[in-house]
Amino acid sequence: MRSIGGIWKSSFFFAVLAAMLVLSVPAFAAPDINRVAFEGNSKVKTDVLQEQVRSRAHAAFNPQVADSDVARLMEVYRRSGRAAAKISYRTVELPNGRVDLVFTIVEGDKTGVKEIRFVGNEVYSTRRLVGMMETTEMNFLSFIKTSDVYDPDRIAADLELIRRFYLKNGYADFRVISSDAQFDPSVGGYIITIVVHEGPQYRVSAVSVESHLPDVDGAALTDYLRIGPGDVYNGDAVEKTVEALTREIARKGYAFTQARPRGERNPADQTVAIQFLLEEGPRVYIERINIRGNTRTRDYVIRREFDIGEGDAYNRVLIDRAERRLNGLGYFKKVKITNEPGSAPDRVILNVDVEDQPTGNFGISGGYSTNQGFIAEVSVSESNFMGRGQAVRLSVQEGQIARGVTFSFTEPYFLDQRIAAGFDVFARRQDAYSYSIYSSTSVGGTVRFGVPITEELSFSPHYSIYQTTISIPNDSRRPYNDCLIPVPGYTPGFSPFFPQPGYPNLLVNCQSNGEASLAIKTSQGTLLTSLIGYQLNYNSIDNFKNPHNGWLATFGQDAAGLGGGAHYLRTTGDIRYFREIPYLDDVVGIARLQGGDLSTFGGYKARIQDNFNLGPSLVRGFAPGGIGPRDSNILTNFTNNRGNSLGGSDYVGGSLEVQFPIWGLPKDLGLRGALFADAGSLWNFRGRTNYANNLPTIPGVTCIGAYTPQAGFGQGNCVVPIANRFALRSSVGASVLWNSPMGPIRFDYAVVTSKVYGDITQAFRFSGGTNF
């Protein structure tokens, strides 16, 4: 046998020999990358792809790194909705040991979300739940929308929306059991399956506040409760109660105290008793707040949404409140606030991660009627101007009879307080010859403020000053003032075309070619109006874009008389109630009531420009200015009954509307239908009706008719308005509402069921807009 020493010597010899052989062979050197190129990409820009790869020019080529680059590029295409894309790479040898690294991309067709399935939902249909999600299914509009691209982060946000929806409607046991997304090559897209557990709907049996703090009586804090016994359990109301209690306790000096809700469910009678516990939390301070991801919005715009700052006591309730506020601004695609340990055990760092999104809006709206013709408005607005959180809007209106321009600016945090301040500047002209026989020009501005009182209630004072000029055309095409100022060669009695005796007469006179009412004539000229007012706003709707439940109400008053020539008090109110109809999926009933009154003082008589001039905003089916008192005294104005709208001092209107999905069409097409019934009235012209003091009078004669020897077949000196009393107008109709990729569009068709002689109808209207 060979000795161990001999074996060791032999092994050592061969190891030395192998090392010498390795050292004698030149080592293989990896080639340098000359450039990284992409071919075949059109849907994703090269700059975006370049940011994702780790292979770089002038670095050594590494196959493992190139393989990982392919995986990263596949993830980019998957998130852009092209999960079926195929990506490979190759190298092109160049002189001097260099290579070009080329990624070849076959993008393929768009592979978005083909179907969203819910399992376990019985109370709310899959259609309703899918309708709440930002993620949509693919359809024929997929070529212009991106909401159908599968995005795990967006799905997670959608599930949170659904969870909050169930909790708000009393389903305290609701939970998402699982969410699974599978790419199905056979259909060319993702199938998302969401399994939920709804549980029963709970009502509140009792609510109490228990304080574990010295000198704080829980029973004395019941005024801050947003939910009470007998109510359907509402997760949002519980959160708002927690916030209100936390803020109140903090004001009392307990900065680390948090209100914690605790519910005791009784499944037998499906009730829950809610107790809010006030307990001293850990003494942790906020060391730093990091703002990350905001490429456009400035840091201070984000920081001001926090009720706490660096150095303050850490309070999770107030942080969650700030996160909801940031999400509600509409500036960001997503907002997420996380914590990390600070420099000491009692310090914490807040990381606020945001992603900016477009906040500009381009809108267009319009309508048509046989009396008014076409009218359109184009507006451009920006709700986050230069990343400062300021709102700017410029709108231009152009039509056959109306045109104008308005500029608005709003600062939501005036003097670093949660007070909105802004101004509007406008110039408008309306040539309402079709039914008002005059043109009106208004130039002025408004300074306004918005002061929040509660989460739902706000107070908005304002001051306005504007100048209104009314003029009456008087030429051969529009001879609307030739009873006072004859048009030579045209007005009967002043024309060579009527040389026969007997002109003017009953049929041919200064009014037979059209004439403005005396009420309009005395409103000619310029009137300066200076007024101060306010508006109370209440908003408890669940979704501003697509409300299903809640109240939206406004009440305002304007007092004119701080200088200027007008002296009146104008009062208006508008209240709307939204209610989802039970047992009917996604069907919403809307009730609306509105009204107003104009009262003058100081001997002032309301002029045409002061009165309410209403139409489709009161009763659909009527033209703008198509409702209300008109000068139709047959003795003074027998040819232009429809052309002399006077406006009124009082109005009231009501509307019932039902909005519903159009069955048979995919939910994410955004099409909904509506049926409505409107009723209302505008009445009580309080302006001057006797103008004898302005015209030659005959002793003992107060009102001179048009066709008397005294009037000389002229206009007379009296106005006798028709429809000056309460007279109900009503209509029924149908609408199509389209939440299109270009923005919300609405089509209304109304049939008038009752009207008054002289009213002007308009059956069809539409409006729409788009975002950019």
Side-chain angles (χ1 to χ4, degrees):
M1 294 181 63
R2 298 175 62 184
S3 66
I4 296 176
I7 296 174
W8 182 87
K9 290 179 180 179
S10 299
S11 300
F12 177 76
F13 173 76
F14 284 113
V16 172
L17 180 63
M20 293 176 63
L21 290 174
V22 170
L23 292 174
S24 66
V25 178
F28 175 77
D32 288 339
I33 298 175
N34 177 59
R35 68 186 180 98
V36 178
F38 302 89
E39 61 181 21
N41 61 305
S42 62
K43 302 300 181 181
V44 181
K45 295 181 180 180
T46 298
D47 293 344
V48 175
L49 300 177
Q50 190 70 57
E51 293 176 355
Q52 300 300 318
V53 299
R54 294 182 179 177
S55 299
R56 294 285 185 265
H58 310 303
F61 169 72
N62 188 321
Q64 289 78 17
V65 175
D67 289 337
S68 64
D69 287 340
V70 169
R72 278 188 288 273
L73 294 176
M74 283 296 300
E75 178 65 16
V76 171
Y77 272 91
R78 184 185 67 80
R79 286 185 173 271
S80 64
R82 298 185 180 272
K86 297 179 181 180
I87 302 176
S88 61
Y89 74 87
R90 71 179 190 275
T91 57
V92 180
E93 295 185 3
L94 301 173
N96 300 323
R98 295 179 301 158
V99 295
D100 282 345
L101 177 59
V102 181
F103 290 93
T104 303
I105 302 170
V106 179
E107 293 181 320
D109 296 329
K110 185 177 181 179
T111 54
V113 177
K114 278 291 186 179
E115 184 181 359
I116 302 175
R117 301 171 180 170
F118 277 85
V119 179
N121 56 310
E122 297 178 357
V123 179
Y124 297 103
S125 69
T126 296
R127 180 187 181 95
R128 175 67 189 282
L129 298 179
V130 172
M132 284 186 262
M133 301 174 65
E134 293 290 333
T135 304
T136 62
E137 298 172 340
M138 295 182 68
N139 53 40
F140 69 90
L141 295 173
S142 292
F143 73 99
I144 58 173
K145 69 176 184 176
T146 59
S147 58
D148 57 353
V149 173
Y150 172 66
D151 185 341
D153 294 335
R154 184 161 54 197
I155 293 292
D158 288 336
L159 295 181
E160 176 62 16
L161 286 175
I162 292 172
R163 185 189 73 85
R164 294 181 66 88
F165 169 75
Y166 270 96
L167 293 180
K168 186 175 181 178
N169 288 277
Y171 296 90
D173 292 336
F174 174 82
R175 67 182 187 276
V176 177
I177 297 175
S178 64
S179 174
D180 179 61
Q182 294 292 333
F183 179 73
D184 188 342
S186 64
V187 299
Y190 286 91
I191 306 296
I192 299 176
T193 304
I194 302 169
V195 182
V196 301
H197 170 73
E198 292 179 323
Q201 186 185 55
Y202 287 87
R203 287 190 172 273
V204 178
S205 60
V207 183
S208 62
V209 179
E210 180 179 333
S211 173
H212 295 171
L213 305 173
D215 303 326
V216 176
D217 182 12
L221 299 174
T222 55
D223 290 342
Y224 297 94
L225 299 177
R226 302 294 184 88
I227 192 169
D231 295 344
V232 173
Y233 177 81
N234 187 324
D236 283 355
V238 171
E239 287 186 357
K240 291 179 180 179
T241 300
V242 168
E243 293 173 2
L245 291 173
T246 300
R247 291 197 306 270
E248 179 60 22
I249 293 301
R251 282 195 288 265
K252 294 180 179 294
Y254 295 91
F256 298 96
T257 299
Q258 297 183 8
R260 182 168 56 88
R262 183 175 66 185
E264 296 181 3
R265 296 176 176 82
N266 187 339
D269 57 5
Q270 297 180 359
T271 61
V272 57
I274 305 174
Q275 187 178 52
F276 295 93
L277 301 179
L278 304 180
E279 298 177 328
E280 188 78 13
R283 292 183 172 272
V284 178
Y285 296 88
I286 298 174
E287 179 177 331
R288 189 169 65 253
I289 300 178
N290 296 326
I291 310 295
R292 305 185 301 199
N294 54 318
T295 58
R296 180 168 178 266
T297 305
R298 310 199 180 199
D299 278 11
Y300 71 85
V301 174
I302 300 173
R303 293 180 184 274
R304 68 191 183 188
E305 297 300 328
F306 286 81
D307 291 329
I308 52 178
E310 294 169 342
D312 291 341
Y314 175 84
N315 192 307
R316 188 68 230 180
V317 173
L318 299 182
I319 293 171
D320 291 341
R321 175 187 173 93
E323 185 171 353
R324 288 194 296 274
R325 282 178 175 172
L326 290 171
N327 278 306
L329 291 176
Y331 304 161
F332 311 108
K333 290 182 180 179
K334 60 181 179 180
V335 178
K336 187 175 182 180
I337 302 178
T338 56
N339 306 332
E340 66 179 50
S343 59
D346 63 345
R347 297 290 186 270
V348 66
I349 298 173
L350 297 183
N351 294 318
V352 184
D353 293 289
V354 301
E355 182 180 350
D356 285 301
Q357 68 177 359
T359 53
N361 176 273
F362 173 78
I364 179 171
S365 61
Y368 175 81
S369 74
T370 55
N371 298 284
Q372 196 177 13
F374 287 99
I375 187 170
E377 181 183 79
V378 178
S379 64
V380 179
S381 63
E382 171 60 66
S383 61
N384 188 15
F385 182 64
M386 298 182 66
R388 300 175 183 270
Q390 299 164 335
V392 178
R393 185 177 188 270
L394 175 66
S395 66
V396 178
Q397 185 186 62
E398 181 63 39
Q400 291 178 267
I401 69 168
R403 61 196 57 87
V405 59
T406 302
F407 176 78
S408 301
F409 175 84
T410 302
E411 167 57 64
Y413 274 77
F414 183 62
L415 299 178
D416 293 328
Q417 302 295 318
R418 200 175 293 277
I419 297 175
F423 65 87
D424 308 299
V425 179
F426 60 87
R428 307 185 187 102
R429 179 178 175 85
Q430 184 170 0
D431 300 325
Y433 304 136
S434 297
Y435 53 87
S436 294
I437 315 297
Y438 66 87
S439 66
S440 173
T441 302
S442 298
V443 179
T446 298
V447 178
R448 47 185 165 74
F449 298 89
V451 182
I453 299 174
T454 67
E455 290 288 333
E456 295 86 13
L457 185 65
S458 64
F459 174 69
S460 303
H462 60 264
Y463 170 76
S464 299
I465 183 169
Y466 55 91
Q467 180 175 280
T468 304
T469 302
I470 285 183
S471 60
I472 302 173
N474 192 39
D475 53 39
S476 59
R477 191 163 65 97
R478 295 190 179 97
Y480 299 150
N481 198 22
D482 63 342
C483 282
L484 290 180
I485 308 174
V487 179
Y490 187 84
T491 302
F494 296 87
S495 171
F497 300 103
F498 300 103
Q500 298 90 346
Y503 289 99
N505 60 30
L506 182 64
L507 298 178
V508 180
N509 52 70
C510 66
Q511 287 203 96
S512 61
N513 52 30
E515 189 74 6
S517 168
L518 290 172
I520 297 174
K521 290 183 178 182
T522 55
S523 295
Q524 283 190 102
T526 299
L527 177 69
L528 181 67
T529 302
S530 173
L531 61 83
I532 188 170
Y534 70 91
Q535 192 171 60
L536 285 171
N537 304 283
Y538 180 81
N539 185 348
S540 66
I541 57 177
D542 53 356
N543 186 306
F544 189 77
K545 293 183 179 180
N546 186 22
H548 279 64
N549 293 282
W551 294 85
L552 186 63
T554 61
F555 176 83
Q557 289 186 304
D558 292 325
L562 300 177
H567 297 82
Y568 61 77
L569 176 65
R570 178 190 289 123
T571 303
T572 59
D574 190 341
I575 183 169
R576 307 184 198 196
Y577 176 63
F578 299 83
R579 175 70 175 178
E580 189 170 10
I581 299 177
Y583 311 112
L584 295 178
D585 182 38
D586 200 17
V587 178
V588 181
I590 306 171
R592 181 184 183 186
L593 181 65
Q594 58 177 318
D597 173 76
L598 179 75
S599 300
T600 61
F601 57 88
Y604 178 73
K605 287 287 188 179
R607 311 176 90 188
I608 292 292
Q609 57 266 51
D610 302 322
N611 291 333
F612 298 111
N613 289 274
L614 303 176
S617 61
L618 185 66
V619 181
R620 282 166 284 194
F622 291 86
I627 296 176
R630 282 179 147 71
D631 180 9
S632 61
N633 182 0
I634 195 170
L635 294 179
T636 61
N637 195 19
F638 81 108
T639 58
N640 281 309
N641 298 325
R642 294 167 59 85
N644 284 267
S645 173
L646 303 176
S649 298
D650 297 285
Y651 75 91
V652 66
S655 175
L656 294 175
E657 181 171 324
V658 177
Q659 296 182 2
F660 50 85
I662 300 178
W663 291 276
L665 295 179
K667 173 74 175 186
D668 62 329
L669 288 182
L671 282 170
R672 292 175 63 83
L675 298 174
F676 62 83
D678 294 346
S681 181
L682 171 65
W683 74 100
N684 201 358
F685 172 71
R686 293 174 178 167
R688 189 176 178 185
T689 58
N690 191 320
Y691 299 88
N693 294 334
N694 294 344
L695 298 172
T697 61
I698 298 176
V701 178
T702 306
C703 185
I704 300 177
Y707 310 112
T708 65
Q710 297 91 339
F713 300 103
Q715 191 172 14
N717 60 9
C718 287
V719 171
V720 181
I722 62 167
N724 204 29
R725 295 184 178 181
F726 180 89
L728 196 67
R729 283 85 163 175
S730 61
S731 67
V732 296
S735 306
V736 175
L737 296 82
W738 184 23
N739 188 20
S740 73
M742 298 180 294
I745 297 176
R746 178 170 183 135
F747 304 86
D748 293 320
Y749 184 83
V751 177
V752 173
T753 54
S754 65
K755 62 178 181 177
V756 172
Y757 177 71
D759 289 345
I760 302 176
T761 61
Q762 174 183 295
F764 175 74
R765 283 175 59 85
F766 83 94
S767 63
T770 186
N771 295 327
F772 67 90

